[in-house]
Amino acid sequence: MAGDRTATAISRLCRISFRLVAAFHSVAATALRTARLLTANPSCVVRSHARFTGIHNKGVTDFMYKRRSLLAFATVGALICTAGVMPSVSHAASGGDGEWEGSYAETHDLTAEDVKNINALNRRALTAGQPGNSPAELSPSASALFRAPDAVDDRVTPPAEPLNRMPDAYRAYGGRATTVVNNYIRKWQQVYSQRGGNPQQMTEEQREQLSYGCVGVTWVNTGPYPTNKLAFAFFDENKYKNDLENSRPRPNETQAEFEGRIAKDSFDEGKGFKRAREVASVMNKALDNAHDEETYIGHLKTELANKNDALLYEDSRSSFYSALRNTPSFKERDGGNYDPSKMKAVVYSKHFWSGQDQWGPSEKRKYGDPDAFRPGQGTGLVDMSRDRNIPRSPAKPGESWVNFDYGWFGAQAEADADKTVWTHANHYHAPNGGMGPMNVYESKFRNWSAGYADFDRGAYVITFIPKSWNTAPAEVKQGWP
């Protein structure tokens, strides 16, 4: 704990150093945008309020991007932020009392315009990922909401990597290991791509999917874009009621902000993940020797009855019972081909914001909706039908929030949550643009579940992939000591 506090203090000194420099240099806010030279594999969290609020001059930015040597004035502040003292995101984004401080944009050195482009591409991926669509062939009549603006045309599909090229070691610090997207492709080909025991080269279509960033990592591993319909979480109702009754808003905290914070703190991601794992295990038992959907449902109900599980009493039209038939891979010739015994249930994670009701009180959109996306107390099942991937509304001028974050759970056989590793990414791949190349992260559970101020809900989602698809080998510790 002392080491964590020291790391957090050093991280804060980094931010203070840069802000002091900015006060004495008229172009500091612009120059910090190019700090990716120092943070290509983040070793220092660089934060700039002026740049974060989107106040920058494009002409100067372009010039500064080309003249990276001008960053020398910030070196004094950056030198103390080395990989050896870099706090994990769970500490960098969290105060001592568990309250999140950092936003996604601050942590990943993004401007408000960057966030706007990421959100637009995330929404575009939702449309492009549906069966029958491709990222390059969106319908001309598609709503402007689901089309990326011209500014994000700098997204690039990563080049192919030789199948026989082994990946380089990741850089590890705190609870996270990081690498460039090209190296992740090499690891994916050696580790995750196996179909029937044989490694396969990542196709151009898969690399196109991957280029979307965090959602791309999950997309390329689940096959057809995940539907997010079968989600689980854990909400501690007693804790929520007790904290509301026995605590008071903090100084300058509105009642709505207080209630949203208490609701957020009442969600336990560890227990939500455990519940998803339990259900996935039941489903996988039901899939064995079930060569048609009716047999699978029969097996499923038997397993649930044996465990006295509340999911047994879900309506027949529930997302729980319809999950398999709604998975595109189940209907594909190289997937299940309508044979449940060829499929397996796997888990991934999604972080998002609760206040998505555009017609509800603005306070809930800013500070969270305490009643939204709560799981069923008996089943743990979350109704995701109202999740429209809408980001948090700004509470202050200039704020900008990312709409969601995805994490792919590789080692599906690992029972201990704290030993699990979640693969995600910082942003879409734009090596020739202002945002820069995409980095891929492998985060331990506590790091992943800590989240950012952008999100107050973490759901653990079950989907189905063919049994022949590998999710992780027994021993893959690249980047970890």
Side-chain angles (χ1 to χ4, degrees):
M1 288 300 293
D4 290 340
R5 288 194 294 270
T6 301
T8 301
I10 292 173
S11 176
R12 288 172 178 167
L13 281 175
C14 289
R15 301 198 296 272
I16 294 170
S17 298
F18 278 108
R19 286 166 181 164
L20 287 173
V21 171
F24 292 100
H25 202 295
S26 62
V27 296
T30 305
L32 283 172
R33 178 168 172 76
T34 63
R36 296 184 184 89
L37 177 67
L38 301 175
T39 57
N41 290 308
S43 60
C44 178
V45 179
V46 180
R47 296 178 179 175
S48 168
H49 176 71
R51 185 192 44 67
F52 169 57
T53 57
I55 303 172
H56 64 278
N57 181 289
K58 186 178 186 301
V60 176
T61 300
D62 292 341
F63 174 75
M64 296 298 290
Y65 189 84
K66 296 174 183 176
R67 295 296 303 275
R68 288 181 171 129
S69 60
L70 293 177
L71 282 170
F73 74 89
T75 302
V76 174
L79 283 176
I80 63 171
C81 299
T82 64
V85 297
M86 172 64 189
S88 70
V89 168
S90 61
H91 292 109
S94 176
D97 59 358
E99 175 68 5
W100 293 325
E101 293 178 341
S103 72
Y104 197 97
E106 289 177 305
T107 305
H108 295 294
D109 190 33
L110 305 172
T111 67
E113 187 67 18
D114 290 336
V115 172
K116 176 182 176 182
N117 293 341
I118 288 171
N119 288 347
L121 268 176
N122 282 342
R123 289 190 293 263
R124 185 173 186 244
L126 291 172
T127 299
Q130 299 306 312
N133 294 334
S134 70
E137 297 177 356
L138 291 178
S139 168
S141 62
S143 167
L145 180 65
F146 292 97
R147 289 202 302 270
D150 292 340
V152 297
D153 285 345
D154 56 357
R155 183 182 59 85
V156 172
T157 300
E161 293 290 331
L163 182 59
N164 60 355
R165 183 173 177 182
M166 299 300 292
D168 299 323
Y170 288 27
R171 291 184 60 191
Y173 50 86
R176 171 173 293 179
T178 183
T179 193
V180 295
V181 67
N182 310 76
N183 195 49
Y184 174 72
I185 293 174
R186 295 173 213 146
K187 181 174 182 179
W188 188 90
Q189 291 176 166
Q190 296 297 324
V191 173
Y192 301 107
S193 71
Q194 298 185 30
R195 307 290 187 260
N198 298 314
Q200 294 185 356
Q201 191 173 35
M202 189 179 284
T203 65
E204 182 176 4
E205 181 181 8
Q206 289 170 326
R207 287 183 280 111
E208 171 79 13
Q209 295 167 355
L210 180 63
S211 71
Y212 279 88
C214 71
V215 67
V217 173
T218 294
W219 190 358
V220 79
N221 281 292
T222 59
Y225 191 90
T227 60
N228 300 327
K229 291 184 177 180
L230 191 57
F232 293 88
F234 179 88
F235 184 79
D236 191 330
E237 191 72 40
N238 291 330
K239 181 181 186 306
Y240 176 67
K241 291 178 180 178
N242 288 336
D243 287 352
L244 279 181
E245 293 175 0
N246 301 316
S247 57
R248 296 291 181 268
R250 295 170 177 172
N252 301 317
E253 187 178 49
T254 67
Q255 183 66 24
E257 190 172 3
F258 166 67
E259 292 177 3
R261 175 172 59 84
I262 296 301
K264 179 180 67 176
D265 291 344
S266 300
F267 279 86
D268 187 324
E269 290 209 22
K271 292 181 179 179
F273 171 51
K274 180 181 178 180
R275 176 56 173 161
R277 291 291 305 278
E278 291 173 349
V279 177
S281 177
V282 168
M283 289 178 151
N284 281 321
K285 289 181 180 179
L287 290 166
D288 284 344
N289 300 313
H291 298 288
D292 57 71
E293 188 180 1
E294 184 178 355
T295 303
Y296 160 69
I297 296 296
H299 288 179
L300 187 58
K301 290 184 175 181
T302 298
E303 292 290 334
L304 293 171
N306 291 340
K307 294 178 176 294
N308 195 28
D309 195 298
L311 284 169
L312 176 65
Y313 307 105
E314 280 288 294
D315 186 272
S316 60
R317 295 167 295 180
S318 165
S319 59
F320 173 70
Y321 285 112
S322 61
L324 180 62
R325 82 174 74 101
N326 289 334
T327 301
S329 295
F330 175 49
K331 305 170 186 176
E332 294 181 349
R333 185 174 298 277
D334 59 351
N337 197 19
Y338 293 96
D339 185 345
S341 68
K342 295 181 180 180
M343 305 294 288
K344 63 182 175 183
V346 293
V347 178
Y348 63 91
S349 178
K350 181 180 183 179
H351 287 151
F352 58 101
W353 185 248
S354 65
Q356 296 193 37
D357 184 357
Q358 296 297 282
W359 293 272
S362 62
E363 291 286 280
K364 289 187 177 181
R365 298 200 299 275
K366 292 178 182 180
Y367 303 119
D369 184 346
D371 299 318
F373 302 103
R374 285 199 198 177
Q377 286 297 300
T379 63
L381 192 61
V382 182
D383 179 5
M384 297 290 284
S385 62
R386 291 187 293 156
D387 176 23
R388 297 176 177 85
N389 304 296
I390 298 171
R392 178 179 181 178
S393 292
K396 302 174 184 177
E399 283 182 335
S400 187
W401 309 98
V402 169
N403 50 6
F404 54 74
D405 197 14
Y406 278 78
W408 170 247
F409 173 41
Q412 300 281 332
E414 177 56 62
D416 185 348
D418 287 339
K419 293 181 181 179
T420 60
V421 173
W422 298 79
T423 308
H424 51 121
N426 56 350
H427 52 67
Y428 67 85
H429 189 50
N432 303 316
M435 192 172 293
M438 168 183 165
N439 288 323
V440 177
Y441 303 132
E442 291 187 351
S443 295
K444 294 182 179 179
F445 181 76
R446 291 187 181 182
N447 187 292
W448 164 254
S449 61
Y452 302 92
D454 306 50
F455 318 118
D456 62 350
R457 297 291 184 269
Y460 290 83
V461 191
I462 296 176
T463 191
F464 297 88
I465 63 174
K467 277 185 178 177
S468 60
W469 291 14
N470 194 20
T471 53
E475 295 291 333
V476 178
K477 295 182 179 179
Q478 212 139 25
W480 300 104

